Amino acid sequence: MAWTKERLESIARTRLGAAKLIVVSNREPYIHRKTPGGGVECIRPAGGLTTALDPVMQACGGVWVAHGSGNADRQTADQYGQIGVPPGDPSYLLRRVWLTPEDEAGYYYGFSNGSLWPLCHQVYCRPSFSPEHWEAYQRVNEQFASVVLEEAGSGPAVVFVQDYHFALLPSLLKAARPDLVVAQFWHIPWPNPETFRVCPWASEILRGMLGNDLLSFHTQHHCNNFLETVDRTLECRLDREHFGVTSGGRHCQVRPHPISVDPELSTTYLGDDWEQRATALRERHGLGDRPVLVGVDRVDYTKGIPERLAAVNRLLVRHPEWKGRFHFVQVGAPSRTDLSEYRDLNTRIAELTDTINQEHGTPDWKPIVFLNEHHGPEQVTLLYRMAAGCVVSCLHDGMNLVAKEFVASRSDEAGVLVLSQFTGASRELTDAVLVNPFDVNELADGMLSALTMPAEEQRRRMRKMRKQVEDNNIYRWAGMLLSDVAKLVDEPDPESEPELEEMSSFNEMSGMIASATAMSLLQLMGAS
Ligand code: F6P
């Protein structure tokens, strides 16, 4: 039975019962910002988390608590920082949290992205640890805890915490309200114990995360790394058979759930006029009718963008017959620009682009087009659809949703995915051209394969990848997570539940499941 928005809606109703769903993340799904003309625009941020969670929230409803980072966010929200989203057709509530510039600097730029981000990604960027940043991180986690508790009121709630910005939040919530059900999804990799233990606050972070009833990563490998790290750092009982940790009288289950996308969305984003828009885009950037390879990323040192450009250069050196015959279009959304590593990387990519274009280009042809600005989902999907191939060369990535979005957008069953073997996505999309991005020859060969692969082979590979993404879409991810929360109290598997249409003929059974669920959730929430 296929996983759809409607099926998730129904699962959420059964599984959550009367409990309110509260999602917490740093990044908000809709950002309001002032335009130069004095108006206000609403943008969708770059990054996998919000792309993935927004359809889930649209299906389940509830409240999404996040940092209000746009300069027009206050004026568009009410006095409590609340606003119904998506704009125009609201289906859930966004509750914005206001941070001081000092706290944003310490908690977001400092500890989250200067300490935890490089610590968890094995890309040889040394993490920095500042006591001031750590203090801001603790403060902001406490601030979010009080907002979540306010939103939960006194009733039952399931709090679904997102990512490394909130390692302390689960235990803060449990300390205040042991009856809350708390689950966390860690969107980035978890490193091995040797790497993690350099963090001066390793124990505090792990204790914070063990406040969860369920802690989830993209892959079993990251779950194993986490369990090993806990084992070497804290006094606690590890259940290696069932993947869990018992500490301070509480149990935390650790499970993999590979995140995904809503494949249907690409049709909406493309619209009926995509071919005209593709022609206009080709004219705007002087692409002619040449094949285009694309890369779509935040400008981040984990994404392997310089490595990708070096591979374009390599391809042209080793295969000069390709000069003048293709383009590489890199969308690079500026990201975390308050950090010097990110600003420097942006400059380096722009310089590398110029150098390679000068080396190989002609007055009529530039091999690389660097689009160094934020692109919305409609523009990105258009690029995916018109490309001969998409290059994802991350040096390390928990999942990488660009790979899945590209596949989802290719209903024509054409196009080649060149995919780093160091992404979580490479475990699922095995029909991609898998490459080691540290190996410039291999990456250049991967790009050449994308330019030369026969249509029949493209179709064979793309068909399989599309089936993978369709079967394992974002609704399945959320449904399985909800089910795992429920399974903590012996719930049945939603994969084996009767079809929604069949439910009426199984009245007795669904009634039993519903009352068992309600009872189990109450027990789980300690409200017997
Ligand atoms: O997945 C990691 C992550 O930090 C997500 O939270 C987010 O989707 C993405 O990277 C973008 O990062 P930021 O929110 O810092 O711009």
Side-chain angles (χ1 to χ4, degrees):
M1 179 184 178
W3 278 93
T4 59
K5 199 169 182 169
E6 290 68 34
R7 185 176 175 197
L8 176 63
E9 230 169 68
S10 150
I11 292 286
R13 265 201 309 274
T14 338
R15 290 284 186 261
L16 296 176
K20 187 172 185 179
L21 176 63
I22 305 175
V23 162
V24 191
S25 72
N26 170 70
R27 185 62 65 204
E28 56 182 340
Y30 296 90
I31 303 178
H32 285 95
R33 63 179 190 195
K34 295 179 182 156
T35 59
V40 169
E41 64 176 356
C42 180
I43 63 153
R44 310 281 312 273
L49 187 156
T50 50
T51 314
L53 263 290
D54 179 58
V56 171
M57 283 303 276
Q58 288 193 36
C60 299
V63 186
W64 186 329
V65 178
H67 172 213
S69 57
N71 59 9
D73 273 357
R74 278 180 197 265
Q75 73 191 69
T76 46
D78 69 12
Q79 55 176 320
Y80 306 105
Q82 292 179 333
I83 176 174
V85 289
D89 185 19
S91 48
Y92 66 94
L93 209 60
L94 170 61
R95 164 82 190 260
R96 288 172 168 154
V97 179
W98 314 119
L99 300 183
T100 63
E102 296 72 36
D103 274 353
E104 188 182 356
Y107 138 84
Y108 174 74
Y109 289 107
F111 197 72
S112 297
N113 290 314
S115 309
L116 286 177
W117 180 268
L119 186 68
C120 290
H121 287 91
Q122 289 157 42
V123 293
Y124 315 106
C125 176
R126 185 184 163 148
S128 66
F129 298 104
S130 131
E132 288 73 32
H133 293 166
W134 170 240
E135 276 159 27
Y137 187 83
Q138 294 174 87
R139 228 173 14 248
V140 172
N141 270 250
E142 281 159 15
Q143 186 182 347
F144 269 80
S146 64
V147 173
V148 171
L149 292 170
E150 204 177 296
E151 288 295 339
S154 54
V158 172
V159 185
F160 187 19
V161 180
Q162 308 301 313
D163 238 343
Y164 58 99
H165 309 88
F166 298 115
L168 309 178
L169 184 56
S171 62
L172 289 170
L173 292 173
K174 279 288 185 185
R177 284 272 312 265
D179 60 312
L180 289 178
V181 178
V182 184
Q184 182 165 31
F185 190 77
W186 195 263
H187 289 251
I188 63 176
W190 189 272
N192 62 46
E194 285 72 29
T195 304
F196 192 75
R197 74 197 189 113
V198 304
C199 177
W201 304 285
S203 309
E204 286 88 333
I205 286 172
L206 295 174
R207 268 192 226 106
M209 294 170 76
L210 291 178
N212 284 297
D213 296 296
L214 171 71
L215 171 63
S216 180
F217 297 89
H218 291 293
T219 65
Q220 184 64 53
H221 178 63
H222 298 148
C223 295
N224 295 348
N225 276 352
F226 178 80
L227 289 170
E228 282 304 315
T229 308
V230 169
D231 196 27
R232 302 230 199 138
T233 318
L234 300 180
E235 282 290 323
C236 55
R237 195 158 54 80
L238 234 66
D239 179 350
R240 290 180 195 276
E241 208 175 317
H242 301 103
F243 300 105
V245 183
T246 306
S247 61
R250 294 207 57 268
H251 188 71
C252 169
Q253 268 201 352
V254 181
R255 286 283 154 81
H257 287 101
I259 204 167
S260 192
V261 293
D262 175 355
E264 306 279 312
L265 276 179
S266 58
T267 316
T268 317
Y269 292 143
L270 272 180
D272 297 332
D273 62 341
W274 74 267
E275 276 160 311
Q276 290 98 294
R277 290 193 294 127
T279 308
L281 193 136
R282 282 185 172 278
E283 270 169 27
R284 193 158 59 248
H285 298 294
L287 305 177
D289 56 3
R290 291 173 280 269
V292 169
L293 300 179
V294 294
V296 176
D297 306 84
R298 287 180 304 103
V299 174
D300 191 299
Y301 52 81
T302 60
K303 303 292 182 188
I305 303 173
E307 285 74 4
R308 207 174 294 180
L309 301 185
V312 173
N313 179 56
R314 192 73 166 181
L315 194 163
L316 292 169
V317 169
R318 293 168 95 200
H319 299 278
E321 70 279 10
W322 276 94
K323 285 190 185 190
R325 290 179 51 207
F326 79 103
H327 294 273
F328 185 81
V329 176
Q330 175 66 49
V331 170
S335 178
R336 305 174 187 169
T337 45
D338 281 28
L339 296 178
S340 62
E341 290 86 349
Y342 284 77
R343 285 196 304 278
D344 296 348
L345 177 66
N346 212 83
T347 312
R348 196 165 145 228
I349 293 169
E351 285 171 0
L352 256 174
T353 301
D354 286 348
T355 311
I356 297 169
N357 282 346
Q358 272 162 26
E359 172 77 19
H360 302 284
T362 63
D364 310 322
W365 176 77
K366 278 189 196 148
I368 300 173
V369 177
F370 179 35
L371 305 176
N372 191 196
E373 59 194 356
H374 177 76
H375 282 58
E378 292 81 6
Q379 296 160 296
V380 165
T381 312
L382 176 65
L383 274 166
Y384 292 145
R385 183 53 188 250
M386 59 187 266
C390 178
V391 184
V392 175
S393 58
C394 305
L395 306 181
H396 197 192
D397 206 341
M399 172 53 66
N400 194 280
L401 292 183
V402 165
K404 293 189 175 180
E405 285 169 4
F406 171 67
V407 167
S409 74
R410 298 312 295 249
S411 54
D412 59 343
E413 299 182 336
V416 178
L417 176 63
V418 180
L419 180 61
S420 160
Q421 59 186 261
F422 306 123
T423 58
S426 70
R427 312 282 169 108
E428 296 173 72
L429 302 177
T430 48
D431 283 280
V433 174
L434 295 177
V435 292
N436 173 359
F438 292 89
D439 182 337
V440 68
N441 285 336
E442 193 171 305
L443 188 49
D445 286 349
M447 290 178 176
L448 189 61
S449 304
L451 291 168
T452 55
M453 188 178 285
E456 192 39 53
E457 189 177 349
Q458 292 186 32
R459 197 164 17 253
R460 186 182 57 76
R461 290 176 182 244
M462 189 54 86
R463 229 176 241 170
K464 287 213 226 152
M465 292 193 286
R466 285 178 60 76
K467 168 113 178 67
Q468 222 291 332
V469 175
E470 272 156 24
D471 290 351
N472 299 285
N473 62 22
I474 187 64
Y475 301 112
R476 180 175 190 276
W477 174 80
M480 297 309 284
L481 260 161
L482 276 182
S483 140
D484 262 2
V485 169
K487 262 191 212 149
L488 297 171
V489 284
D490 298 331
E491 283 298 316
D493 186 340
E495 293 279 44
S496 59
E497 272 193 354
E499 300 253 351
L500 298 183
E501 308 80 67
E502 290 171 8
M503 284 223 174
S504 54
S505 56
F506 285 107
N507 267 342
E508 205 183 332
M509 184 169 102
S510 66
M512 278 162 59
I513 291 173
S515 56
T517 306
M519 265 177 63
S520 305
L521 270 166
L522 284 173
Q523 280 164 6
L524 180 63
M525 292 165 186
S528 56

